[in-house]
Amino acid sequence: MSLEKRYTPQTIESKWYQHWLEKKYFHSKPDEREAYTIVIPPPNVTGVLHMGHMLNNTIQDVLIRRARLQGYNTCWVPGTDHASIATEAKVVKKLRAKGIKKSDLTREEFMQHAWEWKEEYGGIILDQLKKLGASCDWDRTRFTMEDKLSKAVLKVFVDLYKKGKIYRGLRMTNWDPEALTVLSNEEVIHSDEHSKLYHVRYKIANSDEWVTIATTRPETILGDSAVAVHPKDERYAHLKGKKAIIPMVNREVPIIFDRYVTMEFGTGALKVTPAHDMNDYEIGLRHNLEVIDTLNANGTMSEAAQFYIGEDRFSVRKKIVKDLEALGHIVNVEDYQNKVGRSERTNAIIEPRLTEQWFVSMKEFAATGLKAVETGEVNFHPKHFYNMYHNWLNEDNIKDWCISRQLWWGQRIPAWYYEGEVFVAETAQDALNQAQEKFKDKNLTLEDLKQDEDVLDTWFSSWLWPISVFDGFEKQDELKYYYPTNVLVTGWDIMFFWVARMVMAGYEWSEDLLGKEHIQKYGKQPFKHVYYTGMVRDEQRRKMSKSLGNSPDALELLDNYGADGVRFGMLSSAAAGNDILFDAPYDKTQKKTLSESEKCNQGLNFANKIWQALRLIKGWQIEDKKQPKVNTLAAKWMDNRFNQALERLDNSFKDFRLSEALMDLYNFTWGDFCSWYLEMIKPPYGEAIDRKTYEQAIGFFEKITIILHPFMPFVTEEIWHNLNIRKEGEDCIISQYPKVTVFDEEFLKTVENAKELITKIREARAKIKGLKKHTLMQLYVEKSNNAQLFFDTPNIKELIMKMGVLDVLEMTTTEPESSVAFIAGTEKYYLIVKQEIDKGAETVKLKKEKQRLEGFLIGIAKKLSNERFVNNAPEKVVALERKKQADTEAKIKLIEEQLKSLSL
């Protein structure tokens, strides 16, 4: 059989992915098997593959591929999110490039352009996930704005409205002047920014007195309705009943007394602008203040401002400071650090704005969401994320959810208006029926009703995802089979946006849809486990982003290292919940990676290592002859070691420690299988291997490809098909995952001791000048009961002699002449050396080792001299420390003897 000298992912990956698709291995239909279900966190339809996507979807694919191998009916549902704000911004930008303004179009015309954009660009990220090896059921691909899912959204809105959990009200909201829409609190990112604090004085009416306020937003002075001070602030007690004059507009406003004011901040006097500050609005309600909205929706000054009409708020800030200074109102200006809220999507600075919006009442929902995690019906991995979850959802912090957005792309709110009345219904006809019932004396038609112009928050559709992807609000046959899903894999940054709300939705509707019997058996929760990934950051711990230029080109990484290499690179450094440091910034000017990702390169090297193992085995000649004793021991060891590794692997999966699982598997495959087992059984040069050993090696290799397949699917499928002749449909992806059988830990320890001894022999041989690789040597071991027990293990002696290249291995009671002594385990060995060794280099090495051991011994001595440790620690622990002390002292003594011998 002719195999390529190196593993080349570029020629192999597309072949196998297409094969899997043609065989429908990713597709799921309900049957008699137990389901294992994952729903993909739907990426924005505007998105392209980035490092976060690759990490998140690699983890999902590992879980789904392992479950498939374990015999589950796996269903991984892909899809995309319509992303109202981001998508509308993309469409508006595209139209602007053609000279078309959104305002020039009707809603229907704009939506036509939006759907055309979606059809052209919307599936890019899903196609890119295929290059990663994602084994999603592509036949089930969903989109949050497709007809069926949109109908589910409207149904839920109507249901909540009828239950009194959705209401419409005039509230102070977060306004994005760039996207021209309101945002929920969770869509506003607050961070410290460098600002200026302006101290401005206001004249007291009918007086020569002044009061000074401090503000970071002098442009809002034109909308001031009051000056507030604390009731206990004696500095201003004499101003009770007085009025202040707002500069420039010369408006007289009351001086009010309110406990919200902090006496220690600035001068203790606060300008109150109810139209442009959340807290000022609350003060205004308490004191019945006038609301003067001086800003237009796009962040320019309104006519109510009287000055700078139509000019941008930030340019006005500079102008008004100059004008106030000219009028003698600026006292001083200082540098200031304050928190500024920006839109998560557009990065525009948010304006608090009084608008009429739709809200979901959240207190009851939040309590439900908290209870689900507290009771263990939904389990977080890592568990500590519950603290963040609780902080967001506790009754002191939870706020009602603003679900209306001033956009056109999205599910239009199903509310119609007529003469001040609102009619909420799933369809216009249903709304008309309600209106006709209300106004029986009028012959109303659809043209008489006006539908709400706003659309629903994107999250209002995606919170239904685990139910709606199975059309659960329409029919329940598939939902009953796949719900609840098994695990959700997502970033912790959308814990409240999405995870918590999906939990709430699951508990709100699952029982009505599935019935009590199903719920009693399986639960209401939408998923049993939530695996939180960390953020992918560069080596400076900055979040990877296009703007910083520190994010590698995901597709280029896949081209350079192959999907298996990239998957390895991402997962090997991705402990659950921890940020991932990734070292491959992409230089767009040079069109190359500046520093190759060590982890991805390690993954590619690993794929090549097991490829070389395949070439080695397949290169052996096979002969029907008796199995050598060494190979009998090697097979027993590999069988036991495999089951030990498999047990650890299973435990890691159980606890969602996937990074640890991968690295254990890497060390086992590279170290134990490739470096030790294959070396143990490798026939002498020019000789054939016995058939039994060959078949055992193939069997072990097959098992390894199966358990490694979830992590590195392409190389394992290719190796699987090269290990044996396969029948049609006999593919690695659908083979049977092995189960742990009994393994002998004492035997494994014995072989580990043998491996340590072989390593020490090799190290000693390496120091001998001119010694040829295959020169046989003599080794003696100081006679002891332990040594006798060790060498009584069947075939252990033969293994050591073969791998240590020895022709003599005997016990001795005296130190042989011309020997080099060393310790392996607890035994003392003597290697007969007839050639010259480098005494100087050996002396330096021994002294360094002696220094290390002496430091280690000091640490043990301190521990054992601590009475609290000796008296309180378990006896086994104390005994182990005493054994370490004795062993270390023995090693130091031997080194001293060796140093003495070298000095002669």
Side-chain angles (χ1 to χ4, degrees):
M1 173 181 283
S2 176
L3 293 168
E4 294 289 336
K5 289 186 177 180
R6 287 188 62 82
Y7 174 67
T8 51
Q10 293 78 8
T11 60
I12 286 169
E13 292 176 355
S14 58
K15 174 184 77 174
W16 286 119
Y17 200 84
Q18 187 59 36
H19 175 76
W20 296 330
L21 287 175
E22 289 170 359
K23 291 291 184 181
K24 293 283 186 181
Y25 288 147
F26 306 162
H27 186 53
S28 174
K29 290 181 180 178
D31 59 26
E32 71 285 351
R33 292 174 295 167
E34 183 179 346
Y36 187 97
T37 315
I38 296 177
V39 291
I40 199 171
N44 286 354
V45 73
T46 59
V48 292
L49 194 65
H50 60 59
M51 303 306 289
H53 291 137
M54 289 210 293
L55 171 64
N56 187 290
N57 286 282
T58 295
I59 291 168
Q60 292 174 79
D61 195 46
V62 167
L63 295 172
I64 213 78
R65 283 180 182 272
R66 181 172 181 267
R68 188 181 290 121
L69 288 164
Q70 290 176 315
Y72 291 97
N73 186 353
T74 55
C75 182
W76 182 14
V77 183
T80 50
D81 189 287
H82 64 274
S84 292
I85 297 175
T87 304
E88 185 148 326
K90 292 270 189 184
V91 176
V92 168
K93 184 178 180 181
K94 183 181 178 183
L95 291 172
R96 193 183 300 130
K98 294 180 178 180
I100 304 171
K101 294 181 181 178
K102 178 186 173 184
S103 56
D104 295 337
L105 301 173
T106 64
R107 189 182 195 117
E108 290 71 25
E109 289 170 340
F110 179 83
M111 289 297 285
Q112 185 177 344
H113 283 287
W115 278 107
E116 287 173 0
W117 185 94
K118 184 264 175 187
E119 292 306 315
E120 185 175 354
Y121 300 104
I124 290 175
I125 192 167
L126 298 183
D127 288 335
Q128 291 172 334
L129 285 177
K130 294 175 183 178
K131 285 183 69 69
L132 187 65
S135 58
C136 300
D137 186 347
W138 300 110
D139 294 337
R140 290 181 174 274
T141 303
R142 308 307 298 261
F143 176 52
T144 53
M145 248 181 78
E146 63 177 88
D147 284 346
K148 287 185 177 181
L149 271 64
S150 290
K151 285 178 181 178
V153 170
L154 302 183
K155 183 185 285 288
V156 161
F157 183 97
V158 173
D159 181 58
L160 291 179
Y161 182 78
K162 288 177 179 177
K163 292 174 179 175
K165 294 181 179 182
I166 279 183
Y167 64 92
R168 191 169 186 245
L170 188 66
R171 298 285 186 276
M172 184 60 73
T173 55
N174 303 299
W175 184 262
D176 183 336
E178 187 172 322
L180 298 178
T181 182
V182 71
L183 303 177
S184 66
N185 290 337
E186 295 73 35
E187 292 169 301
V188 180
I189 308 301
H190 293 274
S191 59
D192 288 324
E193 295 192 19
H194 177 70
S195 303
K196 297 285 186 184
L197 188 63
Y198 302 91
H199 295 261
V200 185
R201 64 178 192 160
Y202 293 11
K203 196 172 190 310
I204 304 300
N206 303 315
S207 165
D208 293 331
E209 197 173 352
W210 299 76
V211 62
T212 301
I213 59 90
T215 180
T216 58
R217 304 181 66 208
E219 70 276 10
T220 64
I221 285 174
L222 304 174
D224 286 356
S225 297
V227 172
V229 294
H230 196 280
K232 292 184 178 180
D233 196 331
E234 295 179 359
R235 292 173 295 176
Y236 301 109
H238 68 288
L239 296 180
K240 195 167 187 178
K242 302 275 186 178
K243 291 191 175 184
I245 301 172
I246 304 303
M248 296 183 65
V249 292
N250 296 320
R251 181 188 309 119
E252 289 192 6
V253 298
I255 295 173
I256 59 175
F257 292 79
D258 194 282
R259 292 183 179 276
Y260 171 77
V261 180
T262 302
M263 288 188 284
E264 294 77 20
F265 178 76
T267 62
L270 175 76
K271 67 185 281 299
V272 183
T273 320
H276 301 297
D277 185 273
M278 301 279 188
N279 296 308
D280 288 11
Y281 178 70
E282 295 298 325
I283 294 172
L285 290 177
R286 289 195 290 272
H287 297 273
N288 196 29
L289 298 178
E290 183 182 4
V291 178
I292 305 168
D293 190 351
T294 59
L295 287 171
N296 294 315
N298 63 357
T300 59
M301 306 305 289
S302 70
E303 291 188 3
Q306 300 182 45
F307 293 85
Y308 321 110
I309 297 168
E311 295 185 48
D312 180 74
R313 54 187 170 152
F314 297 119
S315 63
V316 169
R317 180 174 298 176
K318 295 175 183 177
K319 288 183 178 181
I320 197 172
V321 168
K322 288 182 179 179
D323 292 342
L324 287 169
E325 192 168 21
L327 292 168
H329 288 284
I330 297 292
V331 178
N332 71 295
V333 180
E334 60 179 295
D335 290 331
Y336 188 64
Q337 286 285 122
N338 66 321
K339 285 199 176 297
V340 176
R342 289 182 178 270
S343 167
E344 183 193 37
R345 292 295 179 201
T346 67
N347 202 42
I349 291 179
I350 294 302
E351 281 294 342
R353 194 159 186 252
L354 195 61
T355 57
E356 193 163 35
Q357 304 293 338
W358 289 90
F359 296 87
V360 176
S361 180
M362 290 298 286
K363 284 208 168 180
E364 186 179 326
F365 273 121
T368 300
L370 276 175
K371 186 178 179 182
V373 180
E374 286 171 350
T375 58
E377 291 178 8
V378 176
N379 296 281
F380 283 179
H381 306 276
K383 293 183 184 296
H384 67 75
F385 276 112
Y386 172 73
N387 298 328
M388 184 186 294
Y389 184 80
H390 181 271
N391 185 55
W392 271 334
L393 293 187
N394 74 70
E395 61 181 11
D396 294 331
N397 290 337
I398 195 68
K399 298 287 190 297
D400 286 351
W401 176 14
C402 178
I403 57 171
S404 46
R405 298 290 182 272
Q406 289 64 54
L407 302 165
W408 282 352
W409 177 250
Q411 285 97 3
R412 194 171 178 179
I413 289 175
W416 285 260
Y417 303 96
Y418 180 76
E419 291 190 358
E421 294 289 334
V422 60
F423 304 99
V424 173
E426 292 180 44
T427 66
Q429 185 59 52
D430 288 344
L432 178 61
N433 294 341
Q434 291 180 32
Q436 288 172 336
E437 181 66 26
K438 178 81 175 178
F439 296 95
K440 293 181 180 179
D441 57 330
K442 297 186 178 182
N443 187 24
L444 295 179
T445 66
L446 288 174
E447 286 71 27
D448 295 314
L449 302 185
K450 183 182 179 183
Q451 187 176 357
D452 199 301
E453 292 289 330
D454 294 347
V455 298
L456 287 160
D457 177 13
T458 301
W459 297 105
F460 194 81
S461 58
S462 54
W463 77 323
L464 309 177
W465 192 243
I467 299 174
S468 61
V469 294
F470 299 112
D471 297 325
F473 289 97
E474 184 180 307
K475 54 185 180 179
Q476 287 75 51
D477 52 341
E478 286 207 338
L479 188 66
K480 283 186 177 181
Y481 183 74
Y482 293 114
Y483 188 97
T485 66
N486 292 74
V487 59
L488 175 75
V489 181
T490 187
W492 57 262
D493 54 325
I494 55 172
M495 183 188 296
F496 183 76
F497 282 123
W498 194 44
V499 179
R501 289 169 180 167
M502 281 192 289
V503 173
M504 297 169 192
Y507 280 82
E508 181 71 18
W509 288 289
S510 61
E511 187 170 333
D512 291 342
L513 296 171
L514 297 171
K516 284 188 177 180
E517 185 179 341
H518 182 92
I519 294 305
Q520 286 172 355
K521 187 175 182 180
Y522 299 105
K524 295 181 179 181
Q525 71 278 5
F527 26 73
K528 299 162 192 170
H529 301 276
V530 182
Y531 180 108
Y532 289 110
T533 64
M535 296 289 179
V536 184
R537 300 184 185 277
D538 66 15
E539 287 189 310
Q540 298 177 45
R541 295 191 174 274
R542 300 176 302 174
K543 184 177 178 180
M544 285 189 169
S545 68
K546 291 179 183 177
S547 59
L548 288 174
N550 63 345
S551 182
D553 185 307
L555 294 179
E556 178 150 329
L557 280 176
L558 290 168
D559 289 339
N560 288 346
Y561 303 106
D564 289 333
V566 173
R567 288 164 69 109
F568 182 97
M570 298 296 293
L571 273 179
S572 60
S573 50
N578 292 350
D579 287 347
I580 297 95
L581 299 183
F582 203 82
D583 64 336
Y586 183 68
D587 183 348
K588 293 178 181 176
T589 60
Q590 298 295 318
K591 300 277 179 118
K592 64 179 181 179
T593 45
L594 295 177
S595 61
E596 300 291 3
S597 165
E598 291 181 5
K599 292 292 185 181
C600 290
N601 200 42
Q602 185 182 8
L604 180 58
N605 288 339
F606 181 36
N608 190 56
K609 178 69 176 180
I610 55 179
W611 182 258
Q612 299 309 321
L614 172 69
R615 292 184 71 236
L616 175 68
I617 293 174
K618 284 298 179 177
W620 288 336
Q621 295 297 314
I622 308 166
E623 188 177 307
D624 290 313
K625 60 181 180 179
K626 187 178 179 181
Q627 185 177 47
K629 290 181 179 180
V630 171
N631 295 9
T632 302
L633 179 136
K636 180 182 177 182
W637 172 68
M638 179 46 53
D639 182 59
N640 278 269
R641 181 68 187 93
F642 177 85
N643 281 287
Q644 184 186 49
L646 185 59
E647 182 180 78
R648 184 176 172 89
L649 190 67
D650 288 350
N651 289 334
S652 292
F653 268 103
K654 184 179 177 181
D655 296 331
F656 291 89
R657 300 193 310 270
L658 302 195
S659 180
E660 187 177 315
L662 174 59
M663 293 315 295
D664 282 344
L665 192 48
Y666 168 82
N667 291 325
F668 165 72
T669 304
W670 189 305
D672 292 313
F673 181 73
C674 295
S675 299
W676 282 100
Y677 172 70
L678 294 183
E679 286 296 313
M680 289 178 185
I681 66 171
K682 186 168 70 173
Y685 182 76
E687 294 186 23
I689 193 168
D690 67 281
R691 188 172 298 279
K692 184 176 181 180
T693 298
Y694 176 80
E695 290 174 353
Q696 287 172 335
I698 293 293
F700 291 133
F701 209 163
E702 284 183 338
K703 286 183 182 179
I704 290 170
T705 59
I706 293 170
I707 61 175
L708 184 58
H709 178 82
F711 298 98
M712 303 176 77
F714 294 105
V715 67
T716 50
E717 189 72 78
E718 180 71 12
I719 289 174
W720 170 269
H721 281 271
N722 278 287
L723 284 171
N724 257 320
I725 297 171
R726 305 294 179 187
K727 297 175 184 176
E728 179 71 19
E730 199 175 52
D731 296 314
C732 186
I733 187 175
I734 56 165
S735 54
Q736 189 173 356
Y737 201 83
K739 292 182 179 179
V740 178
T741 58
V742 177
F743 55 90
D744 186 340
E745 291 197 39
E746 287 303 315
F747 172 71
L748 287 170
K749 287 178 184 176
T750 299
V751 178
E752 284 304 309
N753 289 337
K755 287 166 63 184
E756 181 187 353
L757 174 55
I758 292 164
T759 301
K760 291 288 181 71
I761 294 170
R762 289 172 173 175
E763 288 174 356
R765 290 177 65 99
K767 297 168 191 169
I768 302 171
K769 290 181 179 178
L771 183 68
K772 293 181 179 179
K773 184 178 179 181
H774 299 294
T775 300
L776 296 170
M777 298 187 73
Q778 299 175 12
L779 181 70
Y780 293 88
V781 56
E782 195 171 86
K783 192 170 185 179
S784 70
N785 289 335
N786 284 340
Q788 189 66 54
L789 285 171
F790 177 51
F791 286 103
D792 281 346
T793 303
N795 306 323
I796 253 316
K797 185 175 179 181
E798 288 80 0
L799 173 69
I800 295 165
M801 291 183 71
K802 176 183 178 180
M803 301 195 73
V805 195
L806 307 173
D807 59 353
V808 173
L809 176 52
E810 302 292 348
M811 297 224 184
T812 184
T813 55
T814 59
E815 181 177 347
E817 293 182 7
S818 302
S819 64
V820 173
F822 61 85
I823 284 181
T826 58
E827 307 310 310
K828 189 172 182 180
Y829 292 87
Y830 302 96
L831 186 67
I832 305 301
V833 179
K834 296 175 182 176
Q835 293 88 346
E836 181 184 349
I837 65 169
D838 187 338
K839 289 187 177 183
E842 185 64 12
T843 299
V844 170
K845 183 178 178 182
L846 287 170
K847 284 181 177 179
K848 188 176 181 181
E849 177 64 7
K850 180 173 180 279
Q851 187 178 16
R852 186 190 70 81
L853 290 171
E854 286 170 343
F856 183 63
L857 192 61
I858 291 170
I860 297 173
K862 282 183 180 178
K863 191 179 285 188
L864 290 173
S865 65
N866 185 331
E867 289 186 13
R868 288 182 63 187
F869 170 75
V870 175
N871 295 331
N872 298 324
E875 283 185 29
K876 285 184 179 179
V877 174
V878 177
L880 180 62
E881 291 300 317
R882 294 194 193 282
K883 185 176 184 305
K884 286 181 187 177
Q885 186 180 44
D887 290 345
T888 305
E889 287 171 345
K891 288 177 180 177
I892 291 172
K893 185 178 178 182
L894 176 59
I895 289 174
E896 288 172 344
E897 291 174 2
Q898 289 175 287
L899 288 169
K900 185 177 179 181
S901 175
L902 287 168
S903 65
L904 295 177

